[in-house]
Amino acid sequence: GTSGGRIYSISIDRITDAKKGPVIRVLGRPGLADATGHLTLAHAERRDLLDGKLALVVYTIDQPRGTIKASLTPPQSAR
């Protein structure tokens, strides 16, 4: 794992053609290793989520382009 002190951002990013796209929502700040809460997506963001075009990305001091990337997929009941 990565310690919280090495993390400088956690975000939801758009993925295009298997490449990282723009950051669409910042979820965490420097030093934050976890977070909880609710997020309301705009219509276009929800469509991208359902189409598998969003990913959770953790940016660290050592890997500023994103060290951990996980595709976001909603449960079947949310489709």
Side-chain angles (χ1 to χ4, degrees), residues 1-42:
T2 300
S3 72
R6 308 294 300 163
I7 294 172
Y8 73 84
S9 184
I10 302 170
S11 65
I12 295 176
D13 296 5
R14 186 168 281 117
I15 304 298
T16 57
D17 298 325
K19 295 187 301 185
K20 188 191 125 5
V23 171
I24 63 168
R25 298 292 179 102
V26 175
L27 305 177
R29 61 186 187 279
L32 183 68
D34 60 7
T36 61
H38 298 270
L39 180 65
T40 301
L41 299 176

Side-chain angles (χ1 to χ4, degrees), residues 46 49-52 73-79:
R46 179 173 166 73
L49 175 65
L50 294 173
D51 290 343
T73 54
Q76 193 64 27
S77 62
R79 294 177 180 259

